[in-house]
Amino acid sequence: MAAHPHPRRQRPLPHLPPASGGRMTEPDIWAQGWEGGAPPDEPRLAVVPPQGQLDIVPKRGLLFRPASGIRIRPVRWLWDTTPDGATPTSHGRIPMHSLALAAGGPGLGKSQFAVWLTAQITLGQLPGELYGQPRPVVYAAAEDSWAYTIAPRLMAAGADMDLVFHVTVVDDGQLHARLSLPIDTTRLAEEAETHSVALLVMDPLLSYLDKTVNDYRAAEVRQALEPLVAAADKHRFTILGLAHFTKAGGTDPLARVAGSGAFGQLIRCLIAFARDEDEQGEDRFVMSLEKNNLGRLGLPSHQYVIQSATIDTPEGPSYVSRFVLGPEVTTSVRDVMRAEVEPDVGREETNDAAVWLRGYLTDLGGEADSKEIKEHARGAGFSGSAMDRAKRRLKLTSTNTGFGKEKRAIWALPAPSDTR
């Protein structure tokens, strides 16, 4: 057969039968230079190199396959809080083999949460697909010291220290090389599969983008992170990236994530963190699922606390903090953000709530139990967060009485001298 004058022109398969004869096998297809994933059983096109130039293969091609040839898989959940009696996996929070993001303002315990999650996985105690199956975790921390912070926190959380890996880049050409995406993506993914890693923590995620990547340009961020997301699915591990909130961005937690909007497109779930005020008028931490592409939104938020802890070291005690998951609460991080940006958001509702609250307290002599206030407010059509905003608007004082289950917060109108 004479050499074809156009080496890269594509022709129907019959002009180039596979070596195995009959139906094309996967090796036959790859021998023709196809790239970009598993090809269909019967591709329509192949590249015909000229005689004497079989070593010339194309760098790019297109493969068409019917949807009937796609392997359908159920979503499996790394963290699943579905209660007994509910529809199975209906409360899935972190899908496996995907990119999840934990984001919030400074000092809210995001890193402590990542350590808690790590410990639960290494112990096989995280409710979800891996419950009862301890698995390794890779913990990459760019800002905190392993000796002074990360390792002590892991110990305080009860992690199996033999199943938590610290990753170091070895590069003869660069003395202080550090993990960088997408440069180290392939190596990282292969090592993760070799060690049967279940979770890769990147704290914070932005710090691991190559220095040439502008983290505010969506196209560059996607090019840096998409290979890692694909590798997580291929090599069967989940990624938890940590991120900070910006001060601006309104009441949408996803819009407050620092960096490019590409994060919102690449991540499958967003766990957001905020500081709120409880029924007694004291600060409390709230964590809620604010994006869940593969499962349900509107799942209950959780209250959590950051406790101090002491661990023993060969050189004396080390004082660290640890994350403790608390009960479900009705207030979400989005609710807290709405309260923070008031009066720009919810101004009319806050005005109405403040009028109602002032009248309610005046009728009762100027003060009342905060829990009773909110119960009556719900009957009048006002939410608990609306009462919290109204409290701030009216500059009410809050005084705690009692202890334990008898503890109460008394809201009171300010004295006349305090309103001048």
Side-chain angles (χ1 to χ4, degrees), residues 2 18 27 54 114 123-125 130 148 185-187 264 272 298 357 391 398:
L54 293 179
L123 298 173
Q125 295 179 357
L130 300 181
Y148 293 106
T185 296
T186 300
R187 301 180 187 89
L357 180 56
K391 171 181 175 288
S398 181

Side-chain angles (χ1 to χ4, degrees), residues 298-381:
L299 295 180
S301 301
H302 275 92
Q303 183 176 341
Y304 65 95
V305 296
I306 304 298
Q307 293 181 344
S308 59
T310 304
I311 62 167
D312 294 325
T313 77
E315 300 179 21
S318 176
Y319 305 98
V320 294
S321 57
R322 64 183 176 188
F323 175 97
V324 178
L325 186 67
E328 293 181 353
V329 292
T330 57
T331 301
S332 69
V333 171
R334 192 178 296 263
D335 292 333
V336 177
M337 288 183 170
R338 288 195 183 103
E340 289 176 347
V341 300
E342 195 279 335
D344 294 325
V345 176
R347 176 181 297 177
E348 183 176 351
E349 181 187 18
T350 301
N351 288 340
D352 292 343
V355 171
W356 181 91
L357 180 56
R358 180 186 293 276
Y360 180 86
L361 291 175
T362 300
D363 290 343
L364 294 178
E367 64 180 35
D369 185 315
S370 63
K371 186 175 181 180
E372 294 179 359
I373 291 173
K374 291 187 176 183
E375 288 177 354
H376 285 88
R378 280 192 289 271

